[in-house]
Amino acid sequence: MSQTSVFKPWVPNWAIILILIVCMLHSMVLLGVYTANVTYSASFLDVDVEDLQFSLCVTYGTFLATILIESRLFKFFPTKKYFVTIYSLAAITFILSAYTDNYSVFIMLRMVEGVLMALPWIPLRQLLITRFKSKNAVIIGFSCNYGALLLASPFIMNIAVWLLENYDWTYMAYGSALFQILCVALVMLTFNNNRFHKKIPLYQVDWASYILVLTAILCGSFFFIYGERRYWFDSPQIILSLLITLVAGGLFVIRQQLVKRPCFDMNVFRYANLRTGFFLFVIFYIARATLNMCHSAMFTVWNWEPSRVAQVQYLNVIGNVIGMVLAGIFLAKGIATRLIFSLGFLIFAIYHFWFTFLFVPDVALSDILIPYMLQGVAVGVLFVPLVLFTVSSVPTHYAPFSGTVGVSGRFWGSTIGFCILQNAQVFLQRSHFTKLRQFVLSESPVTSERLAKLTQSFLAKGFTADEAYKLAVQQLIQAVSKQSVLLSDMEIFTVIGYGLLFLVVLLLLNSHLKQTFDLFKNRVWGS
């Protein structure tokens, strides 16, 4: 690492910290801008919601693969030119996406964005931590890094929704590109021409391993995202994607054992706490994925406007802030890791049990206020401690690899979480709809009475008798469909709640899980 500062001497330290945090939001914009309004984005590209989820996995999966080789690229290029080039290319990809309505081209752009998202991620955090002189610099740096990502999402969604409601798709892309140009200006203003690392030749990049792991990640994502829609192993595409995943993944593992400088050292998995951290990340992201079910209920059952749903997410942000502040205090005071995890997952369980009783045909904002904020508190309490626990559960020379394990836990947790919830919802909704449909049969006295009232109301509005009856039946079926959605959500939340309680008990009883990270001995720059 260079002893020469890469920042201009006249720029104050507080401004450097603020600019680095703003530039970190570049990754959040690349990852989440197209999923800010899934319905609108899907309709513009003429694709399904699963396709948008797959595009998200493509970006995040490419990000995961790219961080394996990112350090080599960062050490080869001059620091200032490195960041300026990345942000400029990101702006160009957003402009191109504004005029792209072909899904295949869109996916290619999303892969490019995954690369551009990964390249500045670790260097920016590395630079940020060097700006803090406190003994808790690593805690502060990681909290700022991941806190920016957590807190930025609702703001980005609100801006995107506002642009979509008042303008159109292209303006959302223009706005995202403008943010990248702002990052270019901030880098030009703040950085000098010095290097942060000694230059390393680019030929040492293991491109073969990169292609193998990227192939395995993308095909694995395809398997999980499209499995239910294509009836799993009845589809040749699903079978082929699984085979490619296993073959490419296996070749990647073998190659890491044979090459002199592996981009990922498999020996890192020998450490039990790393395996525990990976497992907890997967559970964490599966539990976190249920928040999308709450948002779906707001749209489809409670009929809230997109702008209102976007604004409600600020309540979750407040919870995130509270949780991160608590986590920072716990870490600074050296509270045992398993106690922090137990508290976080317990709050998660309370949120799930509480929301179980809120899946009704109509609710007020005041009804969901506390549990919705509790979800944010749980995420805030768990996120940074989980990252630090995972990346520092191995000796220092393995730290970058443990960071990659943490990212892979987040990626596969969110992907598998989507798969599990999607399959559970489809199965349960179909089952409940079949059972409830009997109550809309004409021979049911209760249904006949309700059908007559609905028909009469439509007749009063000027519809013919035939039209009024058809509309009444349609409204009954919609009511049954909504009820099946609510019952399914209740069951899923209840099962996950009990699963999280079981995990809390395991954490409390597990004497092996100890406070393992020495934040000053284990200086970690891996993700």
Side-chain angles (χ1 to χ4, degrees):
M1 187 183 300
S2 173
Q3 298 300 314
T4 307
S5 174
V6 296
F7 302 102
K8 293 179 180 178
W10 61 267
V11 184
N13 190 55
W14 64 266
I16 293 174
I17 292 173
L18 182 62
I19 288 170
L20 289 174
I21 292 175
V22 170
C23 289
M24 285 177 177
L25 300 182
H26 146 91
S27 297
M28 195 64 245
V29 173
L30 285 170
L31 186 64
V33 71
Y34 298 111
T35 54
N37 190 324
V38 174
T39 303
Y40 189 97
S41 301
S43 64
F44 178 83
L45 294 166
D46 193 24
V47 296
D48 296 324
V49 173
E50 291 89 351
D51 298 320
L52 259 296
Q53 181 65 31
F54 179 67
S55 75
L56 180 66
C57 290
V58 166
T59 305
Y60 205 170
T62 308
F63 167 85
L64 171 57
T66 305
I67 61 173
L68 294 175
I69 62 171
E70 167 277 325
S71 63
R72 296 285 182 184
L73 298 174
F74 180 52
K75 292 173 183 177
F76 177 78
F77 294 102
T79 304
K80 181 178 179 180
K81 293 180 180 178
Y82 180 80
F83 288 127
V84 168
T85 302
I86 290 169
Y87 293 128
S88 300
L89 290 174
I92 293 172
T93 59
F94 276 121
I95 297 298
L96 291 175
S97 69
Y99 298 97
T100 301
D101 56 6
N102 182 286
Y103 182 69
S104 299
V105 176
F106 179 71
I107 287 295
M108 296 302 296
L109 289 173
R110 291 297 274 165
M111 288 185 66
V112 173
E113 289 166 357
V115 174
L116 297 174
M117 174 183 165
L119 293 179
W121 172 251
I122 297 174
L124 284 172
R125 187 176 67 207
Q126 201 170 351
L127 291 168
L128 180 64
I129 293 176
T130 63
R131 308 313 301 175
F132 296 106
K133 306 306 178 184
S134 165
K135 65 178 182 178
N136 294 317
V138 176
I139 296 175
I140 297 171
F142 273 70
S143 297
C144 290
N145 186 200
Y146 289 101
L149 290 186
L150 286 177
L151 303 183
S153 182
F155 289 96
I156 292 170
M157 179 175 180
N158 273 273
I159 293 171
V161 168
W162 181 81
L163 286 170
L164 290 173
E165 287 186 343
N166 293 278
Y167 299 97
D168 60 21
W169 170 275
T170 54
Y171 282 89
M172 186 179 74
Y174 293 155
S176 303
L178 185 62
F179 179 80
Q180 308 303 317
I181 294 172
L182 172 64
C183 290
V184 170
L186 291 175
V187 170
M188 295 292 289
L189 179 69
T190 309
F191 286 74
N192 57 35
N193 294 318
N194 295 330
R195 285 179 172 273
F196 190 68
H197 287 287
K198 181 181 177 181
K199 185 176 180 179
I200 292 180
L202 202 57
Y203 65 82
Q204 294 182 358
V205 177
D206 189 356
W207 294 108
S209 294
Y210 176 73
I211 293 172
L212 285 172
V213 74
L214 180 60
T215 301
I217 289 170
L218 296 183
C219 290
S221 300
F222 184 91
F223 173 82
F224 284 111
I225 298 300
Y226 290 105
E228 188 279 329
R229 194 169 107 178
R230 297 174 185 266
Y231 302 103
W232 292 105
F233 296 108
D234 290 338
S235 168
Q237 290 178 311
I238 295 299
I239 295 173
L240 181 62
S241 66
L242 179 59
L243 288 175
I244 294 175
T245 300
L246 295 176
V247 171
L251 290 175
F252 172 78
V253 172
I254 293 171
R255 180 173 175 80
Q256 303 318 295
Q257 304 290 340
L258 298 177
V259 297
K260 184 179 179 180
R261 296 185 184 89
C263 64
F264 184 83
D265 195 331
M266 292 295 168
N267 291 322
V268 75
F269 285 109
R270 293 179 179 177
Y271 297 89
N273 277 341
L274 181 87
R275 299 193 298 270
T276 300
F278 177 81
F279 170 75
L280 290 177
F281 258 124
V282 172
I283 298 299
F284 170 77
Y285 267 82
I286 291 175
R288 192 183 176 202
T290 59
L291 188 65
N292 291 328
M293 296 171 62
C294 298
H295 295 155
S296 178
M298 293 176 188
F299 282 118
T300 60
V301 180
W302 302 332
N303 298 318
W304 290 7
E305 293 295 325
S307 57
R308 187 185 185 194
V309 176
Q311 291 165 5
V312 165
Q313 292 188 34
Y314 287 126
L315 297 173
N316 197 254
V317 169
I318 295 173
N320 288 151
V321 173
I322 294 171
M324 285 188 293
V325 170
L326 290 174
I329 293 172
F330 294 154
L331 290 170
K333 291 185 176 296
I335 302 297
T337 305
R338 63 174 179 173
L339 296 180
I340 299 175
F341 292 166
S342 299
L343 174 63
F345 283 112
L346 179 61
I347 297 173
F348 242 141
I350 293 171
Y351 146 74
H352 281 87
F353 285 129
W354 196 326
F355 240 99
T356 299
F357 299 99
L358 297 176
F359 286 116
V360 292
D362 191 25
V363 296
L365 180 58
S366 57
D367 296 326
I368 70 166
L369 176 64
I370 297 178
Y372 192 73
M373 288 180 62
L374 281 179
Q375 196 275 352
V377 173
V379 170
V381 167
L382 286 169
F383 199 44
V384 173
L386 262 176
V387 172
L388 289 172
F389 175 80
T390 304
V391 299
S392 55
S393 58
V394 297
T396 306
H397 60 282
Y398 283 133
F401 307 122
S402 64
T404 304
V405 172
V407 176
S408 64
R410 297 197 291 276
F411 171 76
W412 289 114
S414 58
T415 303
I416 294 172
F418 175 85
C419 176
I420 291 174
L421 294 183
Q422 180 194 45
N423 281 269
Q425 284 180 298
V426 169
F427 173 78
L428 292 172
Q429 287 175 21
R430 186 183 296 127
S431 175
H432 288 305
F433 185 81
T434 302
K435 292 178 181 177
L436 292 171
R437 192 170 54 184
Q438 60 183 308
F439 295 106
V440 300
L441 295 175
S442 56
E443 53 265 25
S444 168
V446 176
T447 303
S448 297
E449 182 180 348
R450 186 176 179 186
L451 193 59
K453 289 181 179 178
L454 287 171
T455 303
Q456 197 62 40
S457 67
F458 284 116
L459 285 171
K461 294 177 182 178
F463 291 96
T464 65
D466 212 24
E467 291 172 338
Y469 181 78
K470 288 179 180 178
L471 289 170
V473 171
Q474 185 179 0
Q475 194 169 93
L476 275 177
I477 293 175
Q478 287 177 349
V480 170
S481 179
K482 285 185 177 181
Q483 193 62 41
S484 66
V485 170
L486 293 172
L487 289 171
S488 301
D489 291 350
M490 289 173 65
E491 291 177 350
I492 292 171
F493 268 63
T494 301
V495 170
I496 292 179
Y498 279 117
L500 291 170
L501 280 184
F502 180 69
L503 177 62
V504 170
V505 173
L506 287 180
L507 289 171
L508 292 173
L509 296 179
N510 187 356
S511 59
H512 175 68
L513 185 63
K514 299 176 181 178
Q515 178 88 20
T516 60
F517 51 85
D518 182 345
L519 298 178
F520 316 109
K521 176 183 177 183
N522 230 348
R523 292 275 175 173
V524 182
W525 313 121
S527 168

